[in-house]
Amino acid sequence: MTHPAPASAAPRGRLDATGYLICFLGIVRRELLRFFNQKERFFSALVRPLVWLFIFAAGFRNTLGLSITPPYETYVLYEVYVVPGLATMIQLFNGMQSSLSMVYDREVGSMRVLLTSPYPRWSLLLAKLAAGVAVSIIQAYVFLAIAAFWETDIPPWGYLAALPAFIAAGLMLGAIGLFLSSLVRQLENFASVMNFVIFPMFFASSALYPLWRVRESSDALYWICQANPFTHAVELVRFALYGAFNPVSCAVVLGTGIVFFALAVIAYDPGRGLLARRGGPAGEAA
């Protein structure tokens, strides 16, 4: 005669909503603790945009005139123009930094342990992505707070209005970084990959100069900048900071983010991903 199992013998660790939430918050908390314990990472992220704002922008102020273009309703100084691009640059570098940590975690083994979790890969990667976005938003708003002393003319409500834009831009740039992390097996090779991605994306965009000026010198470069998803991330943030909405940039940012996140999930899949085909940790964890 069989007896029903007691309630205490119910399976533990079920993949229910509570379990997903605990896993998600655990990964986010780990990444935030890592960020706050690495203070040099925080200050180094601010050095690049602050140097450009306080030094380069001062030199270009009288040489680079900016006409009245949306979302600006009047002529603006160069430092006013570059602030949204520099804030988004922080997210670009942070997205690549997060992907660098993925490569490092694969080498030391913590990522391998994470990938053996019973939770689906997409949920683990989404948690890593969300943690990176949270870190980048903290850095971007600290930069904006410092830039406010430089008469950047951002309305107070613009900081709140820009939060969804920063989230969307951070998710897109982080998803690109996640996909790139699946292409690199060794940590020392990632620096060259970053250089081939970060600098072309940053300089071939509207972060430092309006695209109508680019078109005056090179029509081909203008269209390259238009095709650059980082350009649309910058414009999405720029418009949001002044209470405006750029539907084209929003569509490009969201679409690019979804595509690269899907590619990252496929690449980290143990059965068909890039790492599995090359014998990487994803394949070993399967």
Side-chain angles (χ1 to χ4, degrees):
M1 180 177 179
T2 60
H3 299 280
S8 60
R12 302 173 61 185
R14 292 182 305 169
L15 303 183
D16 55 9
T18 303
Y20 275 96
L21 180 61
I22 293 174
C23 178
F24 180 86
L25 294 179
I27 295 174
V28 172
R29 181 177 180 273
R30 177 181 180 271
E31 294 300 315
L32 289 175
L33 288 175
R34 171 190 284 183
F35 167 70
F36 287 116
N37 289 330
Q38 297 175 347
K39 296 180 176 60
E40 65 279 359
R41 176 182 169 186
F42 173 75
F43 290 109
S44 64
L46 295 177
V47 168
R48 286 182 293 263
L50 289 177
V51 166
W52 196 279
L53 178 63
F54 294 153
I55 299 177
F56 286 89
F60 291 148
R61 171 183 251 188
N62 296 323
T63 59
L64 184 59
L66 300 173
S67 63
I68 303 176
T69 55
Y72 306 107
E73 298 178 353
T74 183
Y75 293 97
V76 295
L77 298 175
Y78 180 68
E79 54 260 41
V80 175
Y81 176 84
V82 297
V83 164
L86 296 178
T88 316
M89 178 185 74
I90 293 176
Q91 294 194 294
L92 173 62
F93 277 84
N94 185 81
M96 297 302 109
Q97 183 75 22
S98 297
S99 59
L100 174 63
S101 69
M102 291 280 287
V103 178
Y104 176 78
D105 286 346
R106 287 208 317 263
E107 287 198 354
V108 301
S110 59
M111 189 62 192
R112 185 177 306 169
V113 174
L114 183 63
L115 291 175
T116 59
S117 165
Y119 292 92
R121 298 292 170 92
W122 67 263
S123 66
L124 302 175
L125 294 177
L126 182 62
K128 294 280 288 186
L129 182 58
V133 173
V135 169
S136 71
I137 290 177
I138 293 172
Q139 294 172 322
Y141 272 95
V142 171
F143 166 74
L144 290 176
I146 298 174
F149 293 97
W150 206 251
E151 299 180 359
T152 50
D153 298 331
I154 297 174
W157 43 264
Y159 296 98
L160 181 60
L163 181 58
F166 277 122
I167 293 175
L171 288 173
M172 183 197 74
L173 297 171
I176 293 175
L178 274 180
F179 177 68
L180 290 176
S181 70
S182 69
L183 303 178
V184 181
R185 292 186 58 184
Q186 295 180 332
L187 186 63
E188 56 269 20
N189 295 334
F190 194 74
S192 59
V193 175
M194 290 177 64
N195 290 333
F196 278 107
V197 174
I198 289 180
F199 294 108
M201 286 186 71
F202 178 61
F203 288 106
S205 74
S206 62
L208 300 179
Y209 22 73
L211 294 188
W212 63 266
R213 281 195 168 272
V214 175
R215 196 169 197 175
E216 288 179 350
S217 59
S218 173
D219 199 60
L221 182 57
Y222 167 80
W223 288 111
I224 291 174
C225 294
Q226 284 284 15
N228 182 2
F230 184 69
T231 292
H232 297 280
V234 171
E235 293 306 305
L236 184 64
V237 170
R238 187 190 310 282
F239 275 69
L241 283 172
Y242 294 92
F245 177 67
N246 191 322
V248 175
S249 294
C250 182
V252 172
V253 169
L254 293 179
T256 304
I258 292 172
V259 168
F260 274 95
F261 182 72
L263 291 175
V265 172
I266 294 173
Y268 274 95
D269 186 276
R272 53 180 176 172
L274 298 174
L275 292 176
R277 289 199 294 269
R278 288 154 46 180
E284 296 172 7

